[in-house]
Amino acid sequence: MAQRAGVDPERTQRLWRALGFADVGDDEEVFTDADVEALTTLGALIDSGFVDQDSEASVARAIGQSLSRLADWQTDMLAALLRDRLDDAVDTVRAAELLLPLLREVQDYVWRRHLSANAERLLAADPGAAVDRRELAVGFADLVGYTSRSRGMGGRELGAMVEDFEGLAADLVARHHGRVVKTVGDGVLFTCTSAVDAVEIGLRMPDEWAASDRPPLRVGAAFGPVLTRLGDVYSPVVNLASRLTSLARPGTLLVDQDLARSLRGLRPYRVRPLRRVSVRGYDHLQPWLVRRRPGAPAPGEDTGPFEDFLDDYADDVLGETTGP
């Protein structure tokens, strides 16, 4: 296959493994003309300069990991459909012949729409700014007590809860112009260009998720320079958001000082400094609790001059201090 595609065999094997495929024996008949065409296209893409050879394996790995997860989900979905609705192998083949091209068309459409949205973002950005370094709000949402609760669940029940959680997160993040970077069972990592959008997500998600049969949710968020690479994000800001999430009480949102400072003067939000703590990687970390300012005071809620005093105090602290 490498010879027919005009690509070095060692390079072919490196890309094959990066895409997530297992090695095959020299005498196994597993490749088709479609594989040769794909390798030829990949080689042409790299030779064009669009992807340099130093990063070709990383690009292949990112593509392979993303599409492998998509394929796993689609396989499970098709397996459930075939098990519940179809009677024999002939029906299975016919269903696959019908459904797979439709899935491919939908995937192509979604990819093109995301590509268009990202292109618009790049065109709107500062022409002199690095495309992979941006000022972003990074948020983590985490299910409290997920591990202990999941032990007592059946597979179908656990799967339904995870699906509900990921569905809510994706819907809410999209509503507020954010992006879900990844989900890992009991948590979701998201980014927003706007600190206010990140705060809205962090405040709404625990409320919209809350139910008696679900574990509570907590959220942490931070704001600052972030490196974006192959769909993922890297920065101390990401680590800081994770630490804040682990400190948050169920149903609450904690943010770092930079994000809290972005909320100064915005009446919809009430920002309060909490006691400094030391966590891994951060000595004397200052968390900030963010709550929505109610339109009318609830019974027993602090109101009037005392709340105004706390607002002034928070503004003074945010105006005088720097760093985490």
Side-chain angles (χ1 to χ4, degrees):
M1 184 180 71
Q3 183 178 17
R4 288 182 59 184
V7 181
D8 179 76
E10 291 185 2
R11 186 182 182 190
T12 298
Q13 186 178 53
R14 184 171 64 251
L15 292 172
W16 179 257
R17 290 172 177 171
L19 288 169
F21 300 125
D23 288 351
V24 296
D26 290 340
D27 297 328
E28 294 184 57
E29 297 181 359
V30 297
F31 299 112
T32 69
D33 289 339
D35 295 295
V36 176
E37 183 179 353
L39 181 59
T40 303
T41 302
L42 182 59
L45 180 65
I46 294 170
D47 293 339
S48 71
F50 183 75
V51 178
D52 61 74
Q53 293 192 14
D54 292 337
S55 62
E56 63 182 24
S58 297
V59 172
R61 187 164 53 250
I63 294 172
Q65 290 174 355
S66 299
L67 294 183
S68 173
R69 183 181 180 189
L70 180 63
D72 285 344
W73 166 75
Q74 290 171 343
T75 303
D76 291 343
M77 181 183 68
L78 288 172
L81 171 68
L82 301 179
R83 182 181 61 248
D84 297 339
R85 302 185 187 180
L86 303 180
D87 298 326
D88 55 37
V90 174
D91 287 342
T92 299
V93 172
R94 289 175 178 170
E97 290 176 343
L98 173 65
L99 294 176
L100 292 180
L102 296 178
L103 286 173
R104 185 172 61 235
E105 290 182 16
V106 172
Q107 288 167 197
D108 182 65
Y109 162 76
V110 173
W111 172 75
R112 285 187 287 108
R113 291 295 300 180
H114 278 296
L115 195 65
S116 175
N118 286 331
E120 290 179 4
R121 172 183 59 78
L122 288 177
L123 291 173
D126 180 1
V131 296
D132 60 347
R133 295 182 184 276
R134 306 168 58 198
E135 293 282 324
L136 292 175
V138 179
F140 271 103
D142 174 58
L143 294 174
V144 183
Y146 169 84
T147 301
S148 58
R149 181 174 291 235
S150 63
R151 291 196 190 104
M153 288 183 168
R156 189 178 296 273
E157 183 184 6
L158 178 60
M161 186 181 74
V162 171
E163 173 64 24
D164 289 345
F165 172 57
E166 293 185 354
L168 171 67
D171 179 79
L172 189 54
V173 171
R175 269 190 277 153
H176 292 279
H177 314 288
R179 181 176 78 89
V180 173
V181 178
K182 54 188 170 185
T183 57
V184 186
D186 63 338
V188 59
L189 170 63
F190 63 91
T191 60
C192 296
T193 57
S194 162
V196 172
D197 282 331
V199 167
E200 282 296 321
I201 293 169
L203 291 174
R204 290 176 183 272
M205 195 177 296
D207 288 343
E208 295 189 16
W209 171 255
S212 59
D213 59 341
R214 292 172 172 175
L217 192 65
R218 59 187 176 185
V219 186
F223 190 87
V226 175
L227 169 67
T228 60
R229 183 174 183 273
L230 299 176
D232 210 338
V233 290
Y234 305 88
S235 168
V237 175
V238 180
N239 297 330
L240 182 54
S242 176
R243 298 291 179 269
L244 290 166
T245 306
S246 66
L247 294 171
R249 292 177 179 271
T252 64
L253 166 65
L254 293 185
V255 304
D256 75 325
Q257 187 168 282
D258 287 338
L259 202 154
R261 188 177 287 116
S262 301
L263 303 179
R264 290 182 67 190
L266 299 181
R267 293 296 297 173
Y269 309 109
R270 181 174 288 164
V271 183
R272 297 288 182 262
L274 302 183
R275 181 173 58 88
R276 291 179 179 269
V277 295
S278 294
V279 295
R280 187 177 62 181
Y282 295 91
D283 294 330
H284 310 296
L285 173 64
Q286 173 73 77
W288 290 78
L289 176 66
V290 180
R291 287 180 173 151
R292 196 176 301 283
R293 190 184 301 275
E301 182 182 25
D302 292 320
T303 59
F306 182 64
E307 281 298 325
D308 292 338
F309 166 77
L310 291 177
D311 287 339
D312 292 340
Y313 172 72
D315 283 342
D316 289 343
V317 173
L318 289 171
E320 295 173 359
T321 58
T322 59

